[in-house]
């Protein structure tokens, strides 16, 4: 994965100030330049920094604070709510997340992440290029962001000691939150990449398992057929479209074939599942329904023949 060089003149404090300006709605970039108490260069760097953390959205027309950015603008530095917003932002910032994941094992042993550690990782692991001054300032911004996310305490370098973050006891848990994909927030870019052939996905073996979704509706939990009793409430609806030019005999044969097919299917299902048609009363009702169907068919055929004769006059 390739990374863009992070801007050097960005900070959490400036980001929160921009989010506060944008609480009431999006503004054009030029208006933000006028509203902010910092220079244009700082505003530009802060907008990009906030966009990568998911606090701002940047379009050609305007800059908008996201829900995360607006929520964070009401927090003071050091608040636990702000830490949560920063942690969510770090998990979506590709460069920051990967740098932290690279440095975390060593930091857990030494207890610190130094500016030199970050610079080395920028160049050797992330492939970033730039002057030592530019990348050095970007490293400081990274360390300050870790401080705001509760990973540790940022300490300015003095008397020959480097600027650094001394990690907290909860550092390991916070790193896990940031580097582990959260499905509620969304998949990271790493999960969107093709599956590695060196670590293929193993499909579950279902060859000898009972899969409930493949059971028939008439099977119980052990796959045995349950008895089914059909009653008069079962019904079928068949729709036919007739052009008016069909021969009455052909229509009659079609309807009879459909009715016989449905009765045959119902009879087979009852036989296979061990069901019964019901008592003599149900049989009698079935015969009455059959007679009724034949009478309706005769009535339909008579009406169709009459309509054909009238149409021929």
């Amino acid at each position: 994965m390739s990374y863009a060089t992070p801007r050097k003149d960005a900070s959490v404090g400036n980001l929160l100030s921009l989010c506060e300006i944008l609480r009431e709605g999006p503004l054009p970039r030029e208006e933000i330049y006028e509203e902010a108490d910092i220079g244009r260069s700082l505003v530009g760097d802060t907008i990009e920094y906030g966009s990568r953390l998911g606090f701002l959205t940047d379009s050609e027309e305007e800059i908008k604070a996201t829900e995360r950015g607006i929520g964070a603008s009401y927090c003071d530095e050091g608040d636990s709510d702000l830490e949560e917003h920063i942690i969510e932002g770090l998990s979506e910032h590709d460069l920051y997340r990967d740098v932290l994941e690279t440095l975390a094992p060593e930091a857990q042993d030494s207890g610190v992440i130094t500016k030199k550690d970050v610079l080395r990782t920028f160049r050797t692991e992330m492939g970033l290029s730039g002057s030592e001054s530019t990348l050095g300032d970007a490293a400081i911004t990274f360390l300050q962001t870790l401080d705001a996310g509760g990973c540790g305490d940022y300490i300015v370098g003095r008397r020959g000691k480097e600027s650094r973050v001394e990690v907290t006891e909860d550092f390991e848990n916070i790193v896990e939150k940031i580097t582990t994909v959260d499905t509620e927030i969304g998949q990271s870019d790493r999960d969107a990449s093709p599956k590695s052939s060196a670590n293929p996905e193993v499909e579950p073996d279902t060859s000898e398992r009972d899969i409930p979704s493949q059971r028939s509706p008439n099977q119980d939990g052990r796959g045995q057929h349950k008895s089914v009793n059909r009653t008069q409430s079962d019904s079928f609806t068949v729709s036919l479209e007739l052009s008016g030019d069909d021969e009455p005999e052909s229509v009659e044969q079609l309807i009879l074939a459909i009715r016989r097919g449905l009765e045959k299917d119902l009879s087979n299902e009852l036989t296979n599942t061990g069901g019964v048609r019901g008592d003599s009363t149900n049989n009698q009702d079935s015969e009455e329904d059959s007679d009724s169907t034949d009478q309706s068919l005769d009535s339909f055929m008579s009406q169709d023949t009459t309509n054909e004769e009238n149409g021929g006059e």
Side-chain angles (χ1 to χ4, degrees):
M1 179 185 291
S2 60
Y3 306 92
T5 301
R7 299 294 182 92
K8 63 175 185 176
D9 293 328
S11 67
V12 174
N14 287 339
L15 175 58
L16 296 180
S17 295
L18 290 191
C19 290
E20 184 175 352
I21 293 173
L22 296 168
R23 281 177 188 169
E24 297 182 2
L27 291 174
R29 187 180 289 261
E30 290 297 326
E31 289 191 28
I32 297 177
Y33 289 149
E34 296 176 3
E35 292 282 342
D37 294 331
I38 55 179
R40 295 173 69 94
S41 176
L42 288 177
V43 170
D45 285 0
T46 303
I47 288 173
E48 182 174 332
Y49 171 69
S51 297
R52 294 187 185 183
L53 289 171
F55 283 60
L56 303 173
T57 57
D58 182 6
S59 66
E60 294 180 0
E61 295 80 14
E62 58 190 16
I63 311 299
K64 178 182 178 180
T66 64
E67 182 178 344
R68 179 183 302 158
I70 294 173
S73 71
Y74 287 98
C75 301
D76 295 324
E77 291 192 38
D79 286 354
S80 59
D81 288 342
L82 177 60
E83 290 180 358
E84 288 300 319
H85 290 306
I86 296 294
I87 288 171
E88 290 175 1
L90 285 167
S91 71
E92 296 178 13
H93 194 307
D94 293 335
L95 175 63
Y96 281 8
R97 182 190 61 234
D98 292 347
V99 170
L100 178 60
E101 188 171 20
T102 302
L103 293 173
E106 182 180 344
Q108 289 172 14
D109 293 334
S110 65
V112 297
I113 299 176
T114 66
K115 174 184 173 181
K116 184 184 293 186
D117 294 333
V118 179
L119 270 171
R120 182 187 71 246
T121 305
F122 277 172
R123 292 191 185 278
T124 62
E125 301 291 338
M126 305 300 134
L128 299 182
S129 60
S131 68
E132 199 74 359
S133 173
T134 298
L135 290 183
D137 288 343
I140 294 298
T141 300
F142 172 75
L143 293 174
Q144 291 173 341
T145 307
L146 294 186
D147 177 281
C151 294
D153 298 320
Y154 173 70
I155 300 174
V156 178
R158 291 191 182 122
R159 298 178 182 177
K161 290 188 177 180
E162 290 187 273
S163 296
R164 62 199 180 276
V165 164
E166 296 183 351
V167 302
T168 62
E169 294 181 356
D170 203 30
F171 176 73
E172 184 176 357
N173 292 331
I174 295 174
V175 170
E176 185 176 358
K177 284 183 181 180
I178 294 170
T179 58
T180 301
V181 175
D182 187 343
T183 55
E184 293 182 359
I185 296 175
Q187 293 285 338
S188 69
D189 291 339
R190 293 170 296 176
D191 291 331
S193 61
K195 295 184 179 66
S196 170
S197 59
N199 187 25
E201 183 176 349
V202 179
E203 297 293 337
D205 181 13
T206 58
S207 57
E208 297 182 1
R209 296 179 185 175
D210 181 21
I211 304 177
S213 60
Q214 296 180 352
R215 295 182 189 140
S216 167
N218 295 327
Q219 289 179 329
D220 58 19
R222 298 186 299 275
Q224 301 297 322
H225 283 285
K226 299 180 290 186
S227 63
V228 177
N229 292 328
R230 298 278 184 174
T231 66
Q232 283 182 292
S233 62
D234 295 314
S235 62
F236 300 91
T237 301
V238 178
S239 299
L240 296 176
E241 294 185 5
L242 303 178
S243 63
D245 298 329
D246 304 272
E247 293 293 334
E249 292 81 6
S250 299
V251 176
E252 179 181 8
Q253 292 176 2
L254 177 61
I255 295 175
L256 289 174
I258 292 173
R259 183 166 61 84
R260 292 193 189 102
L262 293 175
E263 289 180 345
K264 181 179 179 180
D265 182 74
L266 178 59
S267 176
N268 289 340
E269 183 176 358
L270 290 169
T271 301
N272 292 335
T273 58
V276 294
R277 280 188 174 273
D279 54 22
S280 59
T281 302
N282 288 339
N283 289 334
Q284 182 177 356
D285 290 342
S286 178
E287 291 174 2
E288 289 176 0
D289 288 343
S290 178
D291 292 340
S292 176
T293 302
D294 290 337
Q295 291 173 6
S296 298
L297 177 61
D298 293 340
S299 175
F300 169 81
M301 295 304 303
S302 175
Q303 181 179 356
D304 185 79
T305 303
T306 302
N307 291 339
E308 183 177 2
E309 290 175 355
N310 291 337
E313 292 180 359

